[in-house]
Amino acid sequence: MTKLAAALLILALNYYTYHHLARGAEIPPRESFAEFPLQLEAWSCPERGDVAPEVWAGLGATDILLCNYHRRDPNSQILVYVGYHETQV
């Protein structure tokens, strides 16, 4: 009987936590990655990359930055991927 009471108490606390204490997602204002500069000091990105729709869906990101930054030296390049997720749920 004690185990049943403990289990019911845990379920009741779980219900209370998720239905009365939880809040909606707070999404801060932000600029799109389309506004991110293509020139950063000596580094430049000739064009933004794009991903296929099925890859985009798999990533689950609401905005992405995909750019291959390089300097004049052909061996100096960095592929930058940043995915932004408005919510984590």
Side-chain angles (χ1 to χ4, degrees), residues 13 15 21-22 27-28 39 48 54 61 63 65 69 71 73-74 88-89:
L13 287 173
Y15 177 84
L21 297 179
I27 302 170
Q39 183 75 34
R48 297 181 193 281
E54 61 272 9
D63 192 9
L65 169 66
Y69 286 90
R71 291 191 289 188
D73 177 10
Q88 297 292 313
V89 292

Side-chain angles (χ1 to χ4, degrees), residues 1-2 11 33 39-40 43 49 59 61 82:
M1 184 66 162
T2 308
L11 288 174
F33 284 133
Q39 183 75 34
L40 297 168
W43 296 89
L59 292 171
V82 180

